[in-house]
C-alpha cells in the first residue's frame, strides 16, 4: 500500500489557482509574472497540491495508529505545515532571479508555441485526474508500456531522466520519512523525541527499491499521457528538454522542491511532536 499511495502523491497533482503573492516592488513584477507563467506551463504550480492531503491521510491509510487523538493531531499538523499556497509561494520565490533574459526567451518561446501549449495541456490534464481515474490511467499505461516498441520505451526513459527523477525522489523520500516518523512517535509516551538519524538510515535503505517501483508507475503514466503523440513529437519535446535553458530550469526546480519538502518535514516533525507531548503530559 505504501508504494501505491506514494505513487499517487507524485502523480496526482490536482490543480489549484496560483497563490496570492505579497505585494512586491514594481521592479520585481515582471520577474514574478515570468515565474508564474513558467510554473503553470510546467505544472509546478500544482506540484504540492496533494502533498498535505497525502501526508495527512497516510496515518490512517497505512494504519500507523488507530488512536483518534493521534490521527487528528497528525492531520491538523500536516494540513498546516504543508499548506499548498505557502509551499508554492516558496517555490516561486526560489525560482525568481535564477534565469537570464535569454533563457526566459527560450522557455517562453517553447511554451507559447502551439506544440508547447499542447504538451502543457496534456500534462495538466493528467494532473486533473481524480485518484480513481489515475489508477485506471496507470493500468492502461502499464499495458501500453509493456507492448511499446523500443523507440517509445527509450523515449519515456529519456523523459524520466530529464524531468521526473529528482523531484520524485525528493517527494517520495520525505513521504517515507513521514510514515516512519508516525510509526516512531505512535509508540512514545511522555517526552516525545523524533529519532531523525534512525529514520534517515531506514529511508536510505528502503529508497532504492521504492524508487524502482515508483519509476515503473511513472513510466506507465507517461505511456498513457503521451499515447497519442507520434515518435517525432516526443523527439521534439526531448530536444527542447535537452536545451541548456530547460535543463537549468528543471534542475533549479528539482533542488528547490527537494529543499522545501525536506525543511517542511523537519517542521512537521517538530510541530507534531509538540502536539503529542502536550497530550501525553
Amino acid at each position: 500500500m505504501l508504494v501505491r499511495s506514494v505513487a499517487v502523491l507524485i502523480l496526482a497533482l490536482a490543480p489549484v489557482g496560483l497563490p496570492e503573492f505579497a505585494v512586491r516592488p514594481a521592479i520585481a513584477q515582471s520577474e514574478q509574472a515570468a515565474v508564474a507563467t513558467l510554473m503553470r506551463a510546467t505544472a509546478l504550480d500544482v506540484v504540492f497540491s496533494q502533498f498535505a492531503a497525502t501526508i495527512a491521510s497516510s496515518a490512517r491509510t497505512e494504519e500507523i495508529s488507530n488512536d483518534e487523538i493521534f490521527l487528528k493531531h497528525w492531520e491538523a499538523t500536516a494540513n498546516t505545515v504543508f499548506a499548498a499556497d505557502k509551499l508554492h509561494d516558496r517555490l516561486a520565490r526560489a525560482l525568481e532571479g535564477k534565469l537570464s533574459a535569454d533563457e526566459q526567451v527560450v522557455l517562453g518561446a517553447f511554451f507559447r508555441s502551439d506544440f508547447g501549449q499542447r504538451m502543457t495541456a496534456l500534462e495538466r490534464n493528467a494532473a486533473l485526474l481524480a485518484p480513481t481515474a489515475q489508477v485506471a490511467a496507470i493500468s492502461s499505461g502499464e499495458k501500453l508500456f509493456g507492448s511499446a516498441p523500443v523507440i517509445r520505451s527509450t523515449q519515456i526513459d529519456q523523459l524520466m531522466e530529464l524531468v521526473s527523477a529528482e523531484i520524485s525522489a525528493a517527494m517520495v523520500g520525505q513521504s517515507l520519512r513521514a510514515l516512519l516518523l508516525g510509526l516512531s512517535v505512535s509508540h512514545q509516551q511522555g517526552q516525545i523525541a523524533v529519532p531523525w538519524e534512525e529514520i534517515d538510515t531506514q529511508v536510505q535503505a528502503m529508497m532504492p527499491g521504492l524508487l524502482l517501483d515508483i519509476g515503473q508507475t511513472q513510466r506507465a503514466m507517461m505511456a498513457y499521457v503521451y499515447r497519442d503523440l507520434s515518435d517525432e513529437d516526443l523527439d521534439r519535446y526531448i530536444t527542447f528538454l535537452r536545451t541548456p535553458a530547460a535543463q537549468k530550469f528543471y534542475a533549479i526546480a528539482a533542488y528547490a522542491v527537494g529543499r522545501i519538502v525536506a525543511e517542511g518535514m523537519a517542521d512537521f516533525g517538530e510541530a507534531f511532536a509538540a502536539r503529542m507531548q502536550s497530550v501525553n503530559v
Side-chain angles (χ1 to χ4, degrees):
M1 185 180 294
L2 171 62
V3 170
R4 179 61 62 182
S5 65
V6 176
V8 171
L9 162 68
I10 300 303
L11 298 168
L13 302 177
V16 294
L18 283 171
E20 293 296 325
F21 293 99
V23 176
R24 304 182 201 175
I27 194 171
Q29 294 302 309
S30 61
E31 177 70 16
Q32 180 186 348
V35 167
T37 299
L38 276 175
M39 286 180 64
R40 179 169 180 77
T42 57
L44 285 172
D45 64 324
V46 296
V47 70
F48 297 119
S49 295
Q50 290 296 317
F51 198 74
T54 302
I55 298 300
S57 65
S58 63
R60 291 184 188 271
T61 58
E62 303 300 332
E63 300 179 350
I64 291 174
S65 173
N66 58 7
D67 182 339
E68 275 301 316
I69 294 176
F70 178 99
L71 294 171
K72 287 179 180 179
H73 280 300
W74 178 277
E75 291 160 359
T77 306
N79 287 323
T80 299
V81 173
F82 298 116
D85 58 345
K86 296 178 182 178
L87 300 186
H88 288 130
D89 190 18
R90 288 186 60 189
L91 179 56
R93 291 172 184 268
L95 294 174
E96 289 177 7
K98 300 298 192 299
L99 299 172
S100 69
D102 288 343
E103 290 164 340
Q104 291 185 43
V105 167
V106 171
L107 296 172
F110 175 82
F111 288 116
R112 284 193 300 270
S113 70
D114 290 342
F115 181 70
Q117 291 181 37
R118 183 184 180 191
M119 299 307 298
T120 292
L122 285 174
E123 292 169 1
R124 291 190 69 83
N125 286 341
L128 282 165
L129 292 175
T132 52
Q134 288 197 13
V135 171
I138 291 168
S139 178
S140 296
E142 287 172 343
K143 296 175 183 177
L144 289 169
F145 189 76
S147 61
V150 173
I151 186 172
R152 180 52 60 106
S153 60
T154 299
Q155 288 172 324
I156 290 175
D157 284 342
Q158 290 173 335
L159 288 167
M160 287 280 293
E161 293 173 3
L162 290 168
V163 178
S164 303
E166 291 184 28
I167 289 178
S168 300
M171 298 186 79
V172 169
Q174 295 306 322
S175 301
L176 183 55
R177 289 180 90 210
L179 295 178
L180 294 175
L181 162 68
L183 289 170
S184 172
V185 173
S186 66
H187 299 296
Q188 296 186 36
Q189 298 293 327
Q191 186 75 22
I192 301 295
V194 179
W196 283 124
E197 185 174 348
E198 178 182 337
I199 287 172
D200 289 339
T201 298
Q202 294 181 64
V203 169
Q204 187 176 9
M206 296 171 69
M207 280 298 289
L210 183 56
L211 285 177
L212 179 62
D213 290 330
I214 296 301
Q216 292 173 346
T217 300
Q218 287 185 292
R219 286 178 175 84
M221 192 65 170
M222 284 185 171
Y224 176 82
V225 171
Y226 302 131
R227 65 194 183 281
D228 293 329
L229 295 179
S230 68
D231 293 339
E232 291 74 18
D233 287 333
L234 278 186
D235 278 340
R236 182 178 178 185
Y237 191 34
I238 289 167
T239 297
F240 162 71
L241 292 174
R242 291 194 187 282
T243 62
Q247 287 287 282
K248 180 178 177 180
F249 174 73
Y250 282 108
I252 293 169
Y255 175 80
V257 168
R259 187 186 65 200
I260 289 167
V261 293
E263 291 175 355
M265 193 56 65
D267 292 341
F268 174 76
E270 181 178 339
F272 182 65
R275 278 178 174 267
M276 290 308 298
Q277 185 168 316
S278 68
V279 172
N280 290 335
V281 171

